Each structure stands twice: as structure tokens, then as C-alpha cells.
Amino acid sequence: MRIRIVHDTVYTYEQPARGLIQILRLTPRDHDGQHVREWRIEPSVNGRLTAREDGFGNLVHWFTADDPTDALTVRVTGEIETFETSGIVRGAVERLPDLFYLRDTPLTEASAEIKSFAERVAGEGEGDPLSILHRLLAAVHDTVIFEPGPTSASTSAAQSFEAGKGVCQDLTHIFLAAARHLEIPSRYVSGYFRRNDGGDDQKAGHAWAESLVPELGWVGFDPANGLSATEAHVRVAVGLDYLGAAPIRGSRMGGGTETLDVALRVEQVQAQHQARGQQSQSQSQG
């Protein structure tokens, strides 16, 4: 599948912000499941954009604005060719030992309720990790309601599980907390998802989990959609939780109140071209 992405993150400040720095985890890498055909990051103000790699192996750009500004737009445009791998991730950059991904964080620490939930799911069928993970995927999807809306980077898995609802990052944190409690190394993934309901325009990027399965390696599980990662998923960054793989995090001095708006379009290029071709054919026949 060939996927085209246009992603605008728009910041406006009550007053000009000084010393503006943005850390951008917005650039995907090649692996067996995806090939980056083209990719570009364009800040709307003058500044320095420096590329490096973080400890997880993610491509990271540091943007430092030259002058104070009352508005900043970070535009990402790109095209990715993805391939169906049954959710298995091979050929990705790995910088850390597998057992590192058993670590808890404040966002993914399992509450007593999540521990009981994970143990119940694990005991309901076959005991191999892959079977447990598929049951856990279905259980999180069925138990916690996906509710689009404003997100908070400080909402923990325990809080979301207690509320019984959340956005994709919340369901992913719950999945991670449960899987790690069961001693299965698991990590957070940020990226994009090409929806099949015609909804090309979206309000935010996507998040899912990857867990380590013996003899298979890392396998993607998307609890928000209740499925393994597919060719519709564009993998960008990984971490222990949202904070380690956040698309944009930054700092500034002054600026007053900040307003954030996101405009995102994730479309299948081939389908778009076919639609245009069919339209042209229809017009010529008419």
C-alpha cells in the first residue's frame, strides 16, 4: 500500500515565545514492512533543524527558532510504501536489549486492577505468549472504550483503565502495563494509520504496541482497533511509553497561553489515482 501523509501541527502563542525548541520524532525509518519514498519536515519560521538518533533508534530532529515568534507550524509531508507482514516487525533498528522493554514507567505501571485483568486473560486459554497477546488485544479493545477527544500526556494506564475509556495512547498504555506484568517485553509505537472507512482527514496520529514473541520477534498489536498491525500502519517511533515516542515535545520561554491545532491527512495514493481515473473515464463517456 502506498500512503501519502500531510501532517500540520500548529502552535499559537498569546505573546511572542523566546528560546523556542521543538524535539520532533516525526520521521519514519525503513524496515521490512515499510519503505520511505519521500519525507520532508518544514517549520514555518526560520531556525536550525538538526537530525540525530535517540537511544531507541528513532530519527529525531531538533528545531531551534532563530527569533521570538507568536506562531509556529510544523508541516510533515511524505509518502510511504508499506507491506503486509502479519504484524511482524523485522529489519528495524534495535539499539536496546529486549528485556529493557519490561521496565515500568509512571504512565504504564500496572494497578492491582490491571494485574488482575492481565492474569485473568492469560488464564483463559493457551499459555503461549502469542495466544495470550491476541487475547489481551481483544480484551483491552472490548473492555476500554475508544473515545476520540483531547488527550493528556499525564494520563496513566491505571487512570484510563479505571475510567473505562480513552484514546489510542491510553489503550496502548493499558496493553503495555498488562503485557509487562505478564513478563512479556512490550513497547509503545507512534505513527499513522490509514483508515478504511474513507476518513482520510484525522485529528491526531496513531499509537499501538509491539510485543516480543519467541521465534517471531516483535509483533504489532493495535488495541484501539482490535487488530494486529497491518500495511495500513506507518511506524515512526518507539519508546517505553508516549513520552518516549511523542511526535513533538518542546520548550520555550514566555509566550503566555499556548494553543495547539492539528490537521492530518492520511490517504492511499493508489486509491486516489484510481478514483481520478474513474472520474475522468465517466466524464468522457458522458
Side-chain angles (χ1 to χ4, degrees):
M1 181 183 295
R2 190 172 297 182
I3 298 174
R4 176 76 174 170
I5 294 165
V6 180
H7 181 187
D8 288 336
T9 305
V10 183
Y11 295 93
T12 54
Y13 307 104
E14 187 179 15
Q15 304 163 2
R18 296 173 289 111
L20 184 63
I21 299 174
Q22 298 286 358
I23 303 173
L24 313 175
R25 290 179 177 85
L26 287 168
T27 304
R29 305 189 81 151
D30 290 348
H31 59 81
D32 289 0
Q34 68 183 29
H35 171 64
V36 183
R37 299 179 61 87
E38 58 182 81
W39 201 263
R40 186 176 180 86
I41 298 177
E42 299 174 288
S44 62
V45 301
N46 292 331
R48 296 180 300 280
L49 192 64
T50 305
R52 62 185 69 177
E53 182 184 285
D54 68 10
F56 294 97
N58 301 314
L59 290 177
V60 182
H61 288 81
W62 288 66
F63 174 72
T64 305
D66 287 342
D67 302 302
T69 181
D70 58 7
L72 168 68
T73 297
V74 177
R75 164 163 281 201
V76 172
T77 56
E79 191 172 298
I80 305 287
E81 190 168 3
T82 61
F83 310 91
E84 183 57 58
T85 64
S86 299
I88 301 171
V89 179
R90 293 196 176 103
V93 173
E94 300 289 352
R95 296 287 184 244
L96 297 168
D98 295 338
L99 294 182
F100 176 84
Y101 293 101
L102 284 173
R103 292 190 180 187
D104 288 329
T105 72
L107 292 179
T108 62
E109 187 173 0
S111 62
E113 291 76 17
I114 291 177
K115 291 178 180 178
S116 296
F117 170 76
E119 291 165 6
R120 175 178 60 80
V121 171
E124 287 179 342
E126 297 180 14
D128 62 285
L130 184 60
S131 296
I132 291 173
L133 288 165
H134 277 294
R135 290 199 302 274
L136 182 61
L137 171 70
V140 173
H141 180 73
D142 293 342
T143 303
V144 185
I145 299 171
F146 174 70
E147 187 174 273
T151 63
S152 171
S154 62
T155 303
S156 69
Q159 292 169 327
S160 300
F161 191 76
E162 182 179 5
K165 61 183 179 180
V167 295
C168 58
Q169 74 184 40
D170 300 316
L171 274 73
T172 299
H173 283 154
I174 293 169
F175 184 96
L176 294 176
R180 289 174 186 163
H181 175 65
L182 297 173
E183 298 297 318
I184 301 174
S186 299
R187 61 195 182 193
Y188 187 101
V189 185
S190 66
Y192 302 100
F193 179 64
R194 167 69 174 107
R195 293 163 49 180
N196 61 7
D197 61 359
D200 293 342
D201 295 313
Q202 304 175 22
K203 295 296 184 182
H206 196 51
W208 60 96
E210 287 175 359
S211 295
L212 188 64
V213 178
E215 299 181 3
L216 287 180
W218 290 98
V219 179
F221 296 92
D222 182 349
N225 289 296
L227 46 76
S228 294
T230 70
E231 61 179 350
H233 290 77
V234 175
R235 184 180 186 272
V236 177
V238 301
L240 286 173
D241 57 21
Y242 166 78
L243 295 178
I248 300 181
R249 296 183 68 187
S251 64
R252 58 186 169 89
M253 293 183 292
T257 303
E258 175 187 290
T259 302
L260 170 64
D261 292 301
V262 175
L264 171 63
R265 185 170 182 83
V266 183
E267 60 183 351
Q268 185 175 352
V269 176
Q270 183 178 5
Q272 181 188 47
H273 290 170
Q274 288 175 345
R276 287 175 178 171
Q278 291 170 356
Q279 182 180 17
S280 298
Q281 183 179 15
S282 174
Q283 290 173 346
S284 64
Q285 289 174 346

